[in-house]
């Protein structure tokens, strides 16, 4: 009788540990999916900012062409105004590119480090 009790006791402990490890792995898998989704969102925002920078760059080049035409065709104030607008657009382009680049660099590693570390800690590999 004692032998059966010991076997049931060991089986219960093993089943409990496996259940706990299974639950932790499922939880960490969900956290990993959320972490990856968050990083992908940051990359998407960065790409969107690059697209915005490209649009402003396109308009800035149009303004620069207009400034060159106006500079040749008229007197100082018209092309100076056009160059000022183009300079402002180029500053916006530069700011958008820098922010977009920073966001993409920050989120390019899609490995869910937090979840991996938690699983290692629970399993005892850390």
């Amino acid at each position: 009788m004692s032998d059966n009790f010991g076997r049931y006791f060991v089986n219960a402990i093993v089943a409990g540990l496996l259940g706990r490890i299974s639950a932790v792995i499922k939880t960490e898998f969900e956290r990993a999916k959320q972490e990856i989704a968050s990083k992908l969102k940051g990359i998407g925002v960065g790409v969107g900012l690059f697209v915005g920078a490209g649009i402003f760059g396109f308009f800035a080049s149009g303004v620069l062409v207009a400034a060159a035409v106006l500079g040749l065709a008229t007197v100082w104030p018209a092309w100076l105004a056009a160059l000022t607008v183009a300079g402002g657009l180029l500053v916006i382009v530069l700011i958008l590119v820098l922010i977009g680049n920073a966001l993409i660099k920050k989120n390019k590693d899609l490995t869910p480090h937090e979840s991996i570390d938690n699983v290692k800690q629970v399993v005892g590999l850390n």
Side-chain angles (χ1 to χ4, degrees):
M1 183 91 159
S2 172
D3 189 31
N4 282 340
F5 177 74
R7 207 175 288 152
Y8 289 129
F9 183 70
V10 170
N11 287 341
I13 289 175
V14 170
L17 286 174
L18 290 177
R20 177 164 163 65
I21 290 173
S22 174
V24 168
I25 289 174
K26 286 179 185 177
T27 301
E28 291 306 323
F29 181 72
E30 290 301 317
R31 286 185 63 198
K33 287 189 337 188
Q34 291 172 353
E35 190 176 339
I36 290 171
S38 172
K39 289 182 179 187
L40 286 173
K41 181 180 176 184
I43 288 174
V45 170
V47 169
L49 289 173
F50 272 130
V51 169
I55 291 170
F56 277 104
F58 173 77
F59 287 118
S61 66
V63 171
L64 287 171
V65 169
V69 172
L70 291 173
L72 292 174
T74 63
V75 198
W76 172 259
W79 64 266
L80 180 60
L83 283 177
T84 302
V85 170
L89 288 173
L90 289 176
V91 167
I92 291 170
V93 167
L94 178 64
I95 290 169
L96 291 175
V97 166
L98 291 174
I99 293 172
N101 190 37
L103 282 172
I104 289 174
K105 281 184 179 181
K106 177 182 175 185
N107 293 296
K108 71 180 178 181
D109 180 16
L110 297 178
T111 306
H113 294 290
E114 292 175 17
S115 297
I116 291 171
D117 292 341
N118 286 341
V119 168
K120 284 181 180 180
Q121 186 176 10
V122 168
V123 175
L125 297 175
N126 197 3

